[in-house]
mmCIF file of all heavy atoms in Angstrom:
data_model
loop_
_atom_site.group_PDB
_atom_site.id
_atom_site.type_symbol
_atom_site.label_atom_id
_atom_site.label_comp_id
_atom_site.label_asym_id
_atom_site.label_seq_id
_atom_site.Cartn_x
_atom_site.Cartn_y
_atom_site.Cartn_z
ATOM 1 N N GLY U 1 0.678 14.065 -5.471
ATOM 2 C CA GLY U 1 -0.126 15.255 -5.182
ATOM 3 C C GLY U 1 -1.062 15.057 -3.997
ATOM 4 O O GLY U 1 -1.287 13.941 -3.531
ATOM 5 N N GLU U 2 -1.614 16.157 -3.525
ATOM 6 C CA GLU U 2 -2.529 16.134 -2.381
ATOM 7 C C GLU U 2 -3.720 15.221 -2.619
ATOM 8 O O GLU U 2 -4.121 14.474 -1.730
ATOM 9 C CB GLU U 2 -3.040 17.543 -2.087
ATOM 10 C CG GLU U 2 -2.004 18.480 -1.559
ATOM 11 C CD GLU U 2 -2.537 19.894 -1.409
ATOM 12 O OE1 GLU U 2 -3.746 20.129 -1.651
ATOM 13 O OE2 GLU U 2 -1.734 20.777 -1.056
ATOM 14 N N HIS U 3 -4.277 15.302 -3.822
ATOM 15 C CA HIS U 3 -5.458 14.499 -4.126
ATOM 16 C C HIS U 3 -5.142 13.010 -4.018
ATOM 17 O O HIS U 3 -5.894 12.247 -3.407
ATOM 18 C CB HIS U 3 -5.991 14.849 -5.522
ATOM 19 C CG HIS U 3 -7.235 14.120 -5.883
ATOM 20 N ND1 HIS U 3 -8.440 14.384 -5.278
ATOM 21 C CD2 HIS U 3 -7.458 13.106 -6.756
ATOM 22 C CE1 HIS U 3 -9.361 13.573 -5.772
ATOM 23 N NE2 HIS U 3 -8.788 12.789 -6.675
ATOM 24 N N GLU U 4 -4.031 12.604 -4.614
ATOM 25 C CA GLU U 4 -3.628 11.190 -4.565
ATOM 26 C C GLU U 4 -3.373 10.729 -3.132
ATOM 27 O O GLU U 4 -3.801 9.651 -2.722
ATOM 28 C CB GLU U 4 -2.381 10.979 -5.417
ATOM 29 C CG GLU U 4 -1.956 9.536 -5.537
ATOM 30 C CD GLU U 4 -0.741 9.365 -6.434
ATOM 31 O OE1 GLU U 4 -0.472 10.234 -7.289
ATOM 32 O OE2 GLU U 4 -0.041 8.357 -6.248
ATOM 33 N N LEU U 5 -2.686 11.561 -2.354
ATOM 34 C CA LEU U 5 -2.396 11.194 -0.964
ATOM 35 C C LEU U 5 -3.666 11.160 -0.115
ATOM 36 O O LEU U 5 -3.829 10.273 0.737
ATOM 37 C CB LEU U 5 -1.375 12.161 -0.358
ATOM 38 C CG LEU U 5 0.043 12.059 -0.923
ATOM 39 C CD1 LEU U 5 0.911 13.212 -0.415
ATOM 40 C CD2 LEU U 5 0.673 10.721 -0.577
ATOM 41 N N SER U 6 -4.578 12.089 -0.350
ATOM 42 C CA SER U 6 -5.823 12.084 0.423
ATOM 43 C C SER U 6 -6.649 10.844 0.115
ATOM 44 O O SER U 6 -7.291 10.274 1.000
ATOM 45 C CB SER U 6 -6.641 13.360 0.186
ATOM 46 O OG SER U 6 -7.115 13.430 -1.132
ATOM 47 N N ARG U 7 -6.592 10.392 -1.129
ATOM 48 C CA ARG U 7 -7.278 9.143 -1.493
ATOM 49 C C ARG U 7 -6.603 7.950 -0.816
ATOM 50 O O ARG U 7 -7.271 7.076 -0.274
ATOM 51 C CB ARG U 7 -7.246 8.958 -3.004
ATOM 52 C CG ARG U 7 -8.583 8.636 -3.596
ATOM 53 C CD ARG U 7 -8.508 8.375 -5.054
ATOM 54 N NE ARG U 7 -7.182 8.712 -5.578
ATOM 55 C CZ ARG U 7 -6.921 9.089 -6.799
ATOM 56 N NH1 ARG U 7 -7.888 9.171 -7.655
ATOM 57 N NH2 ARG U 7 -5.703 9.384 -7.209
ATOM 58 N N GLU U 8 -5.270 7.910 -0.871
ATOM 59 C CA GLU U 8 -4.532 6.787 -0.280
ATOM 60 C C GLU U 8 -4.800 6.653 1.216
ATOM 61 O O GLU U 8 -5.017 5.555 1.713
ATOM 62 C CB GLU U 8 -3.026 6.966 -0.500
ATOM 63 C CG GLU U 8 -2.208 5.889 0.185
ATOM 64 C CD GLU U 8 -0.710 6.088 0.093
ATOM 65 O OE1 GLU U 8 -0.250 6.918 -0.722
ATOM 66 O OE2 GLU U 8 0.005 5.412 0.846
ATOM 67 N N PHE U 9 -4.778 7.778 1.938
ATOM 68 C CA PHE U 9 -4.934 7.733 3.382
ATOM 69 C C PHE U 9 -6.385 7.887 3.827
ATOM 70 O O PHE U 9 -6.671 7.837 5.025
ATOM 71 C CB PHE U 9 -4.074 8.818 4.033
ATOM 72 C CG PHE U 9 -2.602 8.549 3.906
ATOM 73 C CD1 PHE U 9 -1.839 9.250 2.987
ATOM 74 C CD2 PHE U 9 -1.979 7.593 4.687
ATOM 75 C CE1 PHE U 9 -0.478 9.014 2.861
ATOM 76 C CE2 PHE U 9 -0.619 7.341 4.569
ATOM 77 C CZ PHE U 9 0.133 8.048 3.649
ATOM 78 N N ALA U 10 -7.280 8.080 2.877
ATOM 79 C CA ALA U 10 -8.715 8.222 3.153
ATOM 80 C C ALA U 10 -8.989 9.353 4.145
ATOM 81 O O ALA U 10 -9.688 9.186 5.138
ATOM 82 C CB ALA U 10 -9.307 6.902 3.643
ATOM 83 N N VAL U 11 -8.386 10.511 3.862
ATOM 84 C CA VAL U 11 -8.583 11.704 4.681
ATOM 85 C C VAL U 11 -8.832 12.896 3.771
ATOM 86 O O VAL U 11 -8.619 12.830 2.568
ATOM 87 C CB VAL U 11 -7.348 11.989 5.585
ATOM 88 C CG1 VAL U 11 -7.129 10.871 6.588
ATOM 89 C CG2 VAL U 11 -6.094 12.225 4.758
ATOM 90 N N ALA U 12 -9.235 13.989 4.365
ATOM 91 C CA ALA U 12 -9.464 15.220 3.606
ATOM 92 C C ALA U 12 -8.128 15.814 3.144
ATOM 93 O O ALA U 12 -7.088 15.586 3.770
ATOM 94 C CB ALA U 12 -10.199 16.237 4.486
ATOM 95 N N ARG U 13 -8.176 16.575 2.070
ATOM 96 C CA ARG U 13 -6.949 17.186 1.543
ATOM 97 C C ARG U 13 -6.302 18.110 2.560
ATOM 98 O O ARG U 13 -5.084 18.229 2.612
ATOM 99 C CB ARG U 13 -7.239 17.941 0.248
ATOM 100 C CG ARG U 13 -7.397 16.976 -0.929
ATOM 101 C CD ARG U 13 -7.746 17.665 -2.204
ATOM 102 N NE ARG U 13 -6.676 18.553 -2.654
ATOM 103 C CZ ARG U 13 -6.776 19.320 -3.726
ATOM 104 N NH1 ARG U 13 -7.871 19.315 -4.447
ATOM 105 N NH2 ARG U 13 -5.777 20.096 -4.085
ATOM 106 N N ASP U 14 -7.112 18.759 3.393
ATOM 107 C CA ASP U 14 -6.557 19.642 4.410
ATOM 108 C C ASP U 14 -5.690 18.853 5.398
ATOM 109 O O ASP U 14 -4.658 19.351 5.856
ATOM 110 C CB ASP U 14 -7.662 20.382 5.163
ATOM 111 C CG ASP U 14 -7.101 21.462 6.073
ATOM 112 O OD1 ASP U 14 -6.334 22.312 5.571
ATOM 113 O OD2 ASP U 14 -7.405 21.423 7.277
ATOM 114 N N THR U 15 -6.079 17.628 5.710
ATOM 115 C CA THR U 15 -5.284 16.783 6.602
ATOM 116 C C THR U 15 -3.951 16.445 5.945
ATOM 117 O O THR U 15 -2.890 16.489 6.593
ATOM 118 C CB THR U 15 -6.053 15.490 6.949
ATOM 119 O OG1 THR U 15 -7.312 15.852 7.534
ATOM 120 C CG2 THR U 15 -5.277 14.610 7.909
ATOM 121 N N VAL U 16 -3.987 16.151 4.654
ATOM 122 C CA VAL U 16 -2.754 15.876 3.915
ATOM 123 C C VAL U 16 -1.884 17.126 3.881
ATOM 124 O O VAL U 16 -0.668 17.055 4.078
ATOM 125 C CB VAL U 16 -3.060 15.378 2.482
ATOM 126 C CG1 VAL U 16 -1.812 15.343 1.619
ATOM 127 C CG2 VAL U 16 -3.712 14.006 2.534
ATOM 128 N N ARG U 17 -2.494 18.285 3.666
ATOM 129 C CA ARG U 17 -1.733 19.544 3.644
ATOM 130 C C ARG U 17 -1.009 19.775 4.974
ATOM 131 O O ARG U 17 0.141 20.206 4.995
ATOM 132 C CB ARG U 17 -2.658 20.736 3.384
ATOM 133 C CG ARG U 17 -2.970 20.946 1.941
ATOM 134 C CD ARG U 17 -3.700 22.270 1.722
ATOM 135 N NE ARG U 17 -4.413 22.182 0.475
ATOM 136 C CZ ARG U 17 -5.730 22.050 0.362
ATOM 137 N NH1 ARG U 17 -6.497 22.049 1.429
ATOM 138 N NH2 ARG U 17 -6.297 21.951 -0.807
ATOM 139 N N ARG U 18 -1.700 19.471 6.082
ATOM 140 C CA ARG U 18 -1.071 19.640 7.404
ATOM 141 C C ARG U 18 0.129 18.709 7.538
ATOM 142 O O ARG U 18 1.169 19.106 8.062
ATOM 143 C CB ARG U 18 -2.076 19.354 8.518
ATOM 144 C CG ARG U 18 -3.093 20.447 8.695
ATOM 145 C CD ARG U 18 -4.034 20.168 9.828
ATOM 146 N NE ARG U 18 -3.350 20.333 11.115
ATOM 147 C CZ ARG U 18 -3.908 20.036 12.267
ATOM 148 N NH1 ARG U 18 -5.151 19.562 12.314
ATOM 149 N NH2 ARG U 18 -3.243 20.206 13.390
ATOM 150 N N ALA U 19 -0.001 17.479 7.070
ATOM 151 C CA ALA U 19 1.113 16.519 7.135
ATOM 152 C C ALA U 19 2.285 17.007 6.291
ATOM 153 O O ALA U 19 3.439 16.964 6.722
ATOM 154 C CB ALA U 19 0.649 15.147 6.664
ATOM 155 N N LEU U 20 1.972 17.478 5.100
ATOM 156 C CA LEU U 20 3.023 17.977 4.209
ATOM 157 C C LEU U 20 3.682 19.228 4.792
ATOM 158 O O LEU U 20 4.890 19.427 4.636
ATOM 159 C CB LEU U 20 2.450 18.252 2.820
ATOM 160 C CG LEU U 20 1.995 17.002 2.062
ATOM 161 C CD1 LEU U 20 1.188 17.390 0.818
ATOM 162 C CD2 LEU U 20 3.178 16.125 1.690
ATOM 163 N N ARG U 21 2.904 20.028 5.487
ATOM 164 C CA ARG U 21 3.452 21.238 6.120
ATOM 165 C C ARG U 21 4.471 20.856 7.204
ATOM 166 O O ARG U 21 5.492 21.522 7.368
ATOM 167 C CB ARG U 21 2.320 22.087 6.707
ATOM 168 C CG ARG U 21 2.791 23.366 7.316
ATOM 169 C CD ARG U 21 3.356 24.257 6.260
ATOM 170 N NE ARG U 21 4.053 25.367 6.901
ATOM 171 C CZ ARG U 21 4.593 26.356 6.261
ATOM 172 N NH1 ARG U 21 4.522 26.401 4.951
ATOM 173 N NH2 ARG U 21 5.201 27.299 6.894
ATOM 174 N N VAL U 22 4.190 19.774 7.932
ATOM 175 C CA VAL U 22 5.135 19.295 8.950
ATOM 176 C C VAL U 22 6.466 18.956 8.285
ATOM 177 O O VAL U 22 7.530 19.359 8.757
ATOM 178 C CB VAL U 22 4.571 18.056 9.694
ATOM 179 C CG1 VAL U 22 5.641 17.371 10.532
ATOM 180 C CG2 VAL U 22 3.389 18.452 10.566
ATOM 181 N N LEU U 23 6.403 18.218 7.176
ATOM 182 C CA LEU U 23 7.630 17.830 6.472
ATOM 183 C C LEU U 23 8.345 19.048 5.885
ATOM 184 O O LEU U 23 9.572 19.096 5.852
ATOM 185 C CB LEU U 23 7.315 16.814 5.377
ATOM 186 C CG LEU U 23 6.683 15.499 5.850
ATOM 187 C CD1 LEU U 23 6.443 14.574 4.671
ATOM 188 C CD2 LEU U 23 7.523 14.823 6.901
ATOM 189 N N GLN U 24 7.560 20.019 5.445
ATOM 190 C CA GLN U 24 8.152 21.249 4.913
ATOM 191 C C GLN U 24 8.828 22.028 6.034
ATOM 192 O O GLN U 24 9.939 22.533 5.863
ATOM 193 C CB GLN U 24 7.063 22.095 4.255
ATOM 194 C CG GLN U 24 7.580 23.302 3.522
ATOM 195 C CD GLN U 24 6.461 24.058 2.817
ATOM 196 O OE1 GLN U 24 5.353 23.539 2.634
ATOM 197 N NE2 GLN U 24 6.727 25.291 2.450
ATOM 198 N N ASP U 25 8.205 22.095 7.215
ATOM 199 C CA ASP U 25 8.799 22.787 8.361
ATOM 200 C C ASP U 25 10.084 22.099 8.811
ATOM 201 O O ASP U 25 10.997 22.760 9.322
ATOM 202 C CB ASP U 25 7.818 22.856 9.532
ATOM 203 C CG ASP U 25 6.657 23.795 9.264
ATOM 204 O OD1 ASP U 25 6.733 24.590 8.294
ATOM 205 O OD2 ASP U 25 5.657 23.716 10.001
ATOM 206 N N GLU U 26 10.154 20.791 8.626
ATOM 207 C CA GLU U 26 11.360 20.030 8.970
ATOM 208 C C GLU U 26 12.419 20.129 7.878
ATOM 209 O O GLU U 26 13.489 19.550 7.990
ATOM 210 C CB GLU U 26 11.007 18.553 9.186
ATOM 211 C CG GLU U 26 10.146 18.301 10.388
ATOM 212 C CD GLU U 26 9.671 16.852 10.481
ATOM 213 O OE1 GLU U 26 9.981 16.029 9.594
ATOM 214 O OE2 GLU U 26 8.997 16.540 11.477
ATOM 215 N N ARG U 27 12.086 20.845 6.806
ATOM 216 C CA ARG U 27 12.965 21.013 5.638
ATOM 217 C C ARG U 27 13.283 19.681 4.960
ATOM 218 O O ARG U 27 14.341 19.514 4.365
ATOM 219 C CB ARG U 27 14.245 21.744 6.021
ATOM 220 C CG ARG U 27 13.986 23.156 6.457
ATOM 221 C CD ARG U 27 15.258 23.934 6.609
ATOM 222 N NE ARG U 27 14.948 25.319 6.876
ATOM 223 C CZ ARG U 27 15.266 25.933 8.005
ATOM 224 N NH1 ARG U 27 15.905 25.292 8.937
ATOM 225 N NH2 ARG U 27 14.961 27.195 8.168
ATOM 226 N N LEU U 28 12.341 18.756 5.066
ATOM 227 C CA LEU U 28 12.485 17.467 4.410
ATOM 228 C C LEU U 28 11.986 17.561 2.967
ATOM 229 O O LEU U 28 12.493 16.874 2.087
ATOM 230 C CB LEU U 28 11.695 16.411 5.185
ATOM 231 C CG LEU U 28 11.940 14.966 4.855
ATOM 232 C CD1 LEU U 28 13.395 14.592 5.066
ATOM 233 C CD2 LEU U 28 11.060 14.077 5.714
ATOM 234 N N ILE U 29 10.992 18.431 2.750
ATOM 235 C CA ILE U 29 10.472 18.664 1.397
ATOM 236 C C ILE U 29 10.412 20.161 1.140
ATOM 237 O O ILE U 29 10.435 20.956 2.079
ATOM 238 C CB ILE U 29 9.069 18.035 1.196
ATOM 239 C CG1 ILE U 29 8.024 18.702 2.108
ATOM 240 C CG2 ILE U 29 9.113 16.533 1.412
ATOM 241 C CD1 ILE U 29 6.591 18.297 1.804
ATOM 242 N N ALA U 30 10.338 20.513 -0.144
ATOM 243 C CA ALA U 30 10.210 21.919 -0.535
ATOM 244 C C ALA U 30 9.116 22.029 -1.590
ATOM 245 O O ALA U 30 8.915 21.112 -2.387
ATOM 246 C CB ALA U 30 11.526 22.440 -1.099
#
């Protein structure tokens, strides 16, 4: 989840959301 990833990378959840959006735009995740 976003919370777990934001903790792992020590960034805000919005930063994680942007990263996940990139992968979603690449159709790597849904």
Side-chain angles (χ1 to χ4, degrees):
E2 291 175 4
H3 183 70
E4 185 178 337
L5 291 171
S6 67
R7 229 184 351 208
E8 176 185 346
F9 291 104
V11 296
R13 283 177 65 183
D14 189 54
T15 303
V16 169
R17 278 189 202 107
R18 286 182 72 186
L20 293 169
R21 183 66 192 184
V22 168
L23 300 181
Q24 187 177 344
D25 290 346
E26 293 173 358
R27 295 190 173 116
L28 193 59
I29 65 170

